[in-house]
Structure formats: C-alpha cells, structure tokens
Amino acid sequence: MSDVMESRAVELTVSGKKRIFDIDDPKLPDWADKDEIESGDFPYKEKMDKGEYEKTIEALQIELVKMQFWMQDKGKRVMAVFEGRDAAGKGGSIFATRAYLNPRYARVVALPKPSDIERGQWYFQRYVEHFPTTGEFVMFDRSWYNRAGVEPVMGFCTPDQYEHFLKQVPRFEEMLVDDGIFLFKFWLNIGQEMQIKRFHDRRHDPLKVWKLSPMDIAALTKWDDYTEKRDRMLKETHTKDAPWTIIKANDKRRARINLIRHILLSLDYDGRDLKVIGDIDGKILGQGPNFLK
C-alpha cells in the first residue's frame, strides 16, 4: 500500500490549534480520534445504535420502493444533488437511497473532469444530458456545484467563471423546477476532525484506499477556503424554488435516515405511510445556510 500514496505530513489549524498530521502514520492522532464525532458542532456524542439503524433504514427503503412505483405510474421526474466536502458520506447516502430501487429507473451520475470539448460548452451542458426522463430518479454524486467549491478553491476556474456561475444557477434551477422536475439539493456537513479520521481510515484500509486521492490531501490544508466557498454558495443559491437541505453527517446512520425521510415526506406518493417514515430529527437536518450557524 505504501506505493499508492506518497507520504506527506501537513500542518493544519484544527479547532484553533496548530496540528501536524501525517496520513501515512498508521496511528490516528489522539486529538482527531477523541474529537471526531462532536466536531463541527455535531449534536450527539455517539453514533446511532446499529440495530435501530438497520431496522429503520429497511422500513424507509420499502417506502422508497413504493415511491418509485408511483413515479413510474405518474411519470414523475426526481433529481437529487449530493454535495459536501470529501469524505462527507455522499456515496454511502446515495447507495442507501438507491439500494432496492429498480436500477433501470434509478441512476447515479458521477462525472469525471470535463473533456476539452466539454470545457468549450455551456457549463451546465454536460449535466443536462443526464437529467431524468419520465419515471426516473437521478442522483448526482457531485454536480454543477463543483464550480462553487472545488473549482475556485483549487484554481480550476477563473474568478469571472465563478461569479458567472453563482449568478446563473438560481435561474437555471428555477427552469428545472418550473418544468416539473422534483429537485433536491443536499449538503452533507462534517467536522474537520471527522474528515481527517475518514481520510485516515481510507488511507489504511486496502478496500477503501482507492477513494483517497492527492486532491484530498491538498484539500486538508484548504479547510477555511472550502468553508468560505460553502457559505457563499449556500447563501446565494438557496432559493424558494431550489432550497438547500443541510444534513449534519458526522454520524452516517443518522444522516442517511433523515435524508431519506426528507425525500419521502416531500413527495405525496400513493400509499405513503407517515407513521413508518417518522419525523425529521431537527438537530440533524435543516434548511438553508442559517442551519449551520
């Protein structure tokens, strides 16, 4: 595994303190291991009980299957954008949502970096071709919001392109909703210590090491830059037509359950069982940028 990632120790500012973090050291630093679950103002001290989670998630997945039958019967189009920092749990949340849906009508879109041709097109163009047709549920594992986060932070777009995007995207999304697409925008929020722990887990797990890239290591030292871009993105693109749903995701189990609940409670599908779905945990899920303050 030592050949997979070049060793690199970095100096980080974590919770106001200078820390040295070497991702190649098999031992996670005590300061990260101790504070990870409550980092980023997470409201719980422990993860949700595994048995309770498995029972709850299965019941919600049954409701998702019912929802999909309704979508196909009524020709509904649903699209969900999953955004968040690296290691926030986007992929796992998508997997839990899609696990028992008919894959012919539930697609995941995770686009690579744009080609030369795509870079010369309208920025949204390569995403539009993946939008749902009648009866489809499309989940974007990262989306056009790359231009509001990773691209400006890492220098992959110009300042003018960044500003132009923030101006265009509310109008773009208003058109989608006006055309009848149900659009969900999820921001999965994690604390800094939790991100460090998850990166470390990936680095030292032979089944997960492929998830870690040099870009992830570079992002470790840009936490504040990403925070600044996140806050502006949420402020300028949280609209009545396309609101941001914020999920505190240090505990992946609570995050997935509340995310799926939000989808189910937002769509009035045939046979919806509100008792089975349950109530949103207001400590975990909220709307708009003020939820993170």
Side-chain angles (χ1 to χ4, degrees):
M1 191 188 307
S2 60
D3 294 333
V4 176
M5 187 68 61
E6 181 182 351
S7 176
R8 186 188 304 176
V10 293
E11 183 180 80
L12 308 175
T13 300
V14 182
S15 299
K17 298 179 180 179
K18 296 290 185 181
R19 304 289 194 183
I20 300 296
F21 175 59
D22 185 352
I23 199 166
D24 290 316
D25 186 339
K27 185 178 185 304
L28 181 68
D30 291 341
W31 53 265
D33 191 38
K34 174 185 176 183
D35 299 329
E36 43 95 9
I37 190 65
E38 293 184 85
S39 63
D41 296 321
F42 190 71
Y44 293 98
K45 297 180 181 295
E46 297 179 350
K47 295 179 180 179
M48 182 181 187
D49 176 76
K50 183 178 180 181
E52 180 185 357
Y53 166 74
E54 291 177 346
K55 179 180 178 181
T56 304
I57 199 75
E58 181 179 6
L60 295 176
Q61 287 167 335
I62 291 172
E63 288 295 310
L64 283 169
V65 172
K66 291 160 62 175
M67 182 197 78
Q68 189 179 44
F69 278 124
W70 166 79
M71 288 175 54
Q72 293 171 280
D73 182 55
K74 303 296 184 182
K76 302 298 183 181
R77 293 171 293 164
V78 178
M79 189 160 64
V81 167
F82 291 75
E83 292 288 347
R85 299 180 193 265
D86 294 318
K90 299 179 292 295
S93 296
I94 291 171
F95 180 83
T97 304
R98 184 175 178 260
Y100 295 101
L101 298 180
N102 185 337
R104 293 183 178 181
Y105 306 100
R107 293 187 287 115
V108 178
V109 178
L111 299 184
K113 65 180 182 180
S115 66
D116 289 341
I117 291 176
E118 289 170 332
R119 279 193 287 270
Q121 296 173 338
W122 178 47
Y123 178 73
F124 296 98
Q125 189 166 336
R126 75 189 193 118
Y127 296 101
V128 171
E129 64 180 276
H130 297 282
F131 283 6
T133 188
T134 53
E136 273 197 315
F137 186 4
V138 174
M139 289 152 272
F140 279 87
D141 187 347
R142 294 198 179 277
S143 68
W144 48 94
Y145 279 102
N146 281 332
R147 181 140 292 180
V150 64
E151 288 190 20
V153 170
M154 303 305 293
F156 297 153
C157 70
T158 67
D160 285 345
Q161 288 173 327
Y162 170 62
E163 296 294 338
H164 190 59
F165 172 82
L166 290 175
K167 181 179 178 181
Q168 274 197 330
V169 72
R171 291 180 287 170
F172 171 68
E173 292 173 348
E174 181 182 3
M175 291 172 61
L176 304 183
V177 175
D178 186 60
D179 199 56
I181 293 177
F182 291 96
L183 176 61
F184 295 95
K185 299 192 310 189
F186 295 112
W187 175 267
L188 277 65
N189 202 70
I190 56 172
Q192 191 173 9
E193 290 90 338
M194 178 57 76
Q195 185 188 55
I196 289 169
K197 180 181 186 301
R198 290 181 182 175
F199 277 173
H200 187 268
D201 289 346
R202 290 177 177 184
R203 175 65 182 91
H204 298 281
D205 185 337
L207 296 177
K208 296 180 179 179
V209 70
W210 62 270
K211 294 184 175 183
L212 192 67
S213 71
M215 189 72 67
D216 296 329
I217 306 304
L220 278 172
T221 62
K222 297 181 180 295
W223 178 270
D224 291 341
D225 293 338
Y226 273 104
T227 300
E228 179 186 352
K229 292 298 187 292
R230 176 204 66 188
D231 291 348
R232 186 176 177 197
M233 177 193 77
L234 295 177
K235 178 182 178 181
E236 298 198 22
T237 66
H238 176 69
T239 66
K240 183 181 72 171
D241 295 298
W244 277 103
T245 298
I246 314 297
I247 300 170
K248 295 183 178 180
N250 280 2
D251 179 3
K252 295 179 181 180
R253 296 168 185 169
R254 287 187 174 93
R256 294 168 187 171
I257 283 173
N258 283 280
L259 186 152
I260 294 173
R261 277 177 175 157
H262 176 73
I263 293 173
L264 296 172
L265 291 171
S266 300
L267 301 174
D268 190 15
Y269 58 91
D270 296 337
R272 185 174 63 169
D273 192 328
L274 295 177
K275 184 176 180 181
V276 168
I277 296 171
D279 297 324
I280 295 291
D281 183 344
K283 295 180 181 179
I284 295 294
L285 183 148
Q287 299 289 318
N290 290 335
F291 186 63
L292 293 178
K293 294 181 179 179

